[in-house]
Amino acid sequence: MTHLTVEQLLACREAGQEPGVAAARAHLDACSLCLAEATRLDQRAARLRALPSLRPARDNWTVVRDRLTAQHRRRLVRRAAVAGLALAAGITLVVVLRVQAGAPRHEVAISEAMTRSSQLEQLIQSYNPDQRVTDGRTVQVAGQLEDRIAVLDRELEMAQLLDVPRDRDDRLLRLWRQRVGLLDALVDVHLTRARAVGF
Amino acid sequence: MAQSLVLTDADVLLARARTGDLEALEQVYRAYESPVYNLARRICRTVEDAEDVLQETFFEVCRSVHQYRGEGSLWGWIRSIAASKALMRLRRNKYRDTDELDEEFHRPANRQDGGGLRMDLEAALERLPETSRAVVWLHDVEGYTHEEIAGMMGKTVSFSKSQLARAHQRLRRWLGEELVAR
């Protein structure tokens, strides 16, 4: 007597009617050995389901949360950067027009700082930090820098509203230079990480 | 098996989670951390891989919870992400998963003189080749059909069925459950 193979026994457990399964089921009903094997198979599956649930040895939520926070922060900075670029473009236009009309040297310096700022932002975007493998330390430092840039962007918007042109230009120049400094540092952080992981 | 999210108002929690509320997302994580890790650990070879899968799964869950529309259980949705991540991890690691090599590797250590094999079920499961173990766990424990497993693995239904049969043949042998020469 030919007994059922494991494949056939497993097929008998499945719902549906594949070719040959009806014959296998008929054999199963008549063969005590195959029935015992099918029972063992079911018991083995039941024992697998009854295995103790394994738990992680450490709390992984903090890692997930930090990644989410970093991603959220990057999104905010990107939005602020877009707004900043639009703002910079507007200011540049005004400055250029005033420079052409013989405006003071201060405004040329602001224009240069804005151009440099824009270049650095494009450089950071070209690294595409969201898609990179990043260690916790890099995330932390980059996050701090991005937070400070976001604060600066708000200050830049406020500085635009100053009434006295000289005060406004002094403040704008100082803020734009700070922004360039922070972006420089951010580029360094990403470059260091990129070199460390080899890409 | 997963516990249901035991909350007085799971809908409210999910609504908060969809807005990115970290506290609500953490509650979802706490509710499903254990079953997700268990699934990942049963499929992946190492604790580190299982923890990576756990993190990847919940990062994905948190990012796309707004896409979950309540069709099917929340656990079913999270589990499908976890299974997919775990299988992706297997493919990425490309463990040496040749059946013949595996058979050779395990036979001397597990076979006892006198023909009988006695091995703990957990140890036997651990020693199955990666793919067989993933199939047996997804099918027999998590309840996925061969069609679903084949879809997740990018293989055929026949492949899934034959992997399951091989896994059971090995488990039967290693656990000393062979009744007759078949």
Side-chain angles (χ1 to χ4, degrees), chain A residues 28-101:
Chain A
L28 197 57
D29 289 340
C31 177
S32 59
L33 279 175
C34 286
L35 189 60
E37 190 62 38
T39 306
R40 281 182 183 276
L41 210 147
D42 287 339
Q43 286 173 342
R44 201 179 305 128
R47 284 170 59 206
L48 282 170
R49 285 191 290 274
L51 283 175
S53 186
L54 303 174
R55 292 171 176 277
R58 64 189 179 106
D59 185 12
N60 288 270
W61 169 248
T62 50
V63 181
V64 177
R65 187 197 57 205
D66 288 351
R67 279 184 68 185
L68 285 170
T69 308
Q71 188 197 42
H72 181 65
R73 189 185 289 120
R74 272 198 292 272
R75 244 184 240 151
L76 287 179
V77 169
R78 209 170 295 131
R79 268 185 224 151
V82 171
L85 283 174
L87 180 68
I91 294 171
T92 304
L93 183 65
V94 172
V95 169
V96 166
L97 291 174
R98 290 180 65 178
V99 166
Q100 283 173 348

Side-chain angles (χ1 to χ4, degrees), chain A residues 50-165:
Chain A
L51 283 175
S53 186
L54 303 174
R55 292 171 176 277
R58 64 189 179 106
D59 185 12
N60 288 270
W61 169 248
T62 50
V63 181
V64 177
R65 187 197 57 205
D66 288 351
R67 279 184 68 185
L68 285 170
T69 308
Q71 188 197 42
H72 181 65
R73 189 185 289 120
R74 272 198 292 272
R75 244 184 240 151
L76 287 179
V77 169
R78 209 170 295 131
R79 268 185 224 151
V82 171
L85 283 174
L87 180 68
I91 294 171
T92 304
L93 183 65
V94 172
V95 169
V96 166
L97 291 174
R98 290 180 65 178
V99 166
Q100 283 173 348
R105 206 174 45 181
H106 235 38
E107 292 174 353
V108 178
I110 293 174
S111 178
E112 286 170 357
M114 286 191 299
T115 305
R116 179 69 185 143
S117 177
S118 171
Q119 288 168 342
L120 289 168
E121 270 172 341
Q122 284 171 17
L123 188 59
I124 291 167
Q125 286 306 309
S126 71
Y127 282 122
N128 197 6
D130 279 355
Q131 300 298 317
R132 303 271 184 169
V133 177
T134 310
D135 62 88
R137 173 76 184 141
T138 303
V139 169
Q140 189 187 10
V141 174
Q144 287 167 354
L145 288 168
E146 286 165 352
D147 284 346
R148 289 172 62 190
I149 292 167
V151 170
L152 264 183
D153 285 341
R154 281 197 295 275
E155 287 182 27
L156 274 166
E157 284 172 28
M158 297 303 292
Q160 281 299 303
L161 303 175
L162 290 175
D163 289 334
V164 183

Side-chain angles (χ1 to χ4, degrees), chain A residues 3-7 9-10 13-14 18 33-34 36-37 40-41 44-45 47-49 51-61 63-65 67-69 71 75, chain B residues 22 25-26 29-30 33-34 37-38 41-42 51 54-56 58-59 62-63 121-122 125 136-137 139-141 146 161 164-165 168-169 171-172 175 177 179-180 182:
Chain A
H3 294 291
L4 297 179
T5 63
V6 173
E7 285 90 340
L9 289 169
L10 286 167
R13 291 200 314 176
E14 299 288 324
E18 287 190 12
L33 279 175
C34 286
E37 190 62 38
R40 281 182 183 276
L41 210 147
R44 201 179 305 128
R47 284 170 59 206
L48 282 170
R49 285 191 290 274
L51 283 175
S53 186
L54 303 174
R55 292 171 176 277
R58 64 189 179 106
D59 185 12
N60 288 270
W61 169 248
V63 181
V64 177
R65 187 197 57 205
R67 279 184 68 185
L68 285 170
T69 308
Q71 188 197 42
R75 244 184 240 151
Chain B
L22 281 175
L25 290 169
E26 184 176 356
Y29 173 86
R30 299 289 172 210
E33 172 192 31
S34 183
Y37 178 78
N38 192 47
R41 185 65 190 92
R42 296 300 184 187
E51 287 197 348
L54 175 67
Q55 291 169 16
E56 290 290 333
F58 279 101
F59 187 60
C62 293
R63 280 200 313 182
L121 177 61
E122 192 139 13
L125 180 70
V136 79
W137 191 264
H139 186 274
D140 284 1
V141 179
H146 286 297
K161 287 181 177 177
L164 184 67
H168 274 288
Q169 281 165 352
L171 290 174
R172 185 179 63 180
L175 296 168
E177 292 178 349
L179 289 177
V180 291
R182 303 182 75 84

Side-chain angles (χ1 to χ4, degrees), chain B residues 44-55:
Chain B
C44 297
R45 180 66 82 192
T46 67
V47 168
E48 290 74 21
D49 279 346
E51 287 197 348
D52 281 352
V53 168
L54 175 67
Q55 291 169 16

Side-chain angles (χ1 to χ4, degrees), chain B residues 102-103 106-107 110-111 116-120 123-129 167-178:
Chain B
D102 188 82
E103 191 79 2
H106 293 301
R107 190 182 294 140
N110 297 327
R111 186 172 288 282
L117 277 176
R118 288 285 177 258
M119 193 192 289
D120 174 59
L125 180 70
E126 182 85 10
R127 279 160 179 74
L128 281 174
H168 274 288
Q169 281 165 352
R170 285 185 168 129
L171 290 174
R172 185 179 63 180
R173 193 162 62 246
W174 292 344
L175 296 168
E177 292 178 349
E178 284 173 311

